[in-house]
Amino acid sequence: MGTVTIGVSIAVPEPHGSQLQELREGFGDAAAPCIPTHVTLLPPTEVDASELPAIEAHLAEVAAAGRPFPMRLSGTGTFRPLSPVVYVQVVEGAEVCGWLQKQVRDASGPVARELLFPYHPHVTVAHGIDEAAMDRAFEELAGYEAEWPCTGFALYEQGADGIWRKLREFPFGNSVVPPQANASREDRGERRDQPQTACS
């Protein structure tokens, strides 16, 4: 069956997703039209196509153990000079993203892998473009804000044309979005084995 390149991510919903994708393209990032706006849980990973059913079963188990949580983006950051990336920061929901990506990459699962860099949830808005354009992205989105209730994640495959396409969505086990204020930890969907959401 050959190999395929997959990724797992939390989609940034509309209207924010299209807005950030268009801005990324406007900064001169040629890859922008190929990549739906997202927060990565599993970076691009080559797997045998025959493993996809096992991977989907594993992701369904991870999602079933999760709970909806509030996500908030605010301002910009950069990985320069280590990596040529400018991003919008995840300031709420980052710890839960960290918990989820560990479950996805668990050593006992079908997509166990090590990361090149420590995990840092973010939304890329410029990658590998000239420094002046990277600076412009950093400055123009410094006041950017968006928030939404995150209710699951999705599996994507990169086609031969370089475009990432969604294969399947994985909603969290509790489909009711928890209240975001004046609630106990359990009411907010924070399991004892799952970290609290917190600004970072």
Side-chain angles (χ1 to χ4, degrees), residues 27-63:
F27 295 134
D29 191 330
C34 303
I35 308 171
T37 309
H38 66 282
V39 176
T40 298
L41 297 179
L42 177 74
T45 301
E46 189 174 289
V47 300
D48 194 295
S50 65
E51 290 293 310
L52 284 175
I55 291 168
E56 291 192 18
H58 169 64
L59 295 177
E61 288 183 6
V62 173

Side-chain angles (χ1 to χ4, degrees), residues 1 4 6 8 42 47-63 103-106 108-112 153 155 167-168 170:
M1 294 179 68
V4 294
I6 62 166
V8 179
L42 177 74
V47 300
D48 194 295
S50 65
E51 290 293 310
L52 284 175
I55 291 168
E56 291 192 18
H58 169 64
L59 295 177
E61 288 183 6
V62 173
Q103 309 310 305
V104 170
R105 295 187 300 106
D106 189 83
S108 66
V111 283
F153 55 83
L155 172 66
L167 293 181
R168 180 177 164 185
F170 297 88

Side-chain angles (χ1 to χ4, degrees), residues 76-89 117-127 134 138:
T76 50
T78 183
F79 294 133
R80 294 184 292 174
L82 191 63
S83 181
V85 172
V86 170
Y87 58 86
V88 172
Q89 300 184 79
F117 302 103
Y119 180 73
H120 182 82
H122 63 280
V123 177
T124 298
V125 290
H127 182 202
M134 301 273 273
F138 186 88

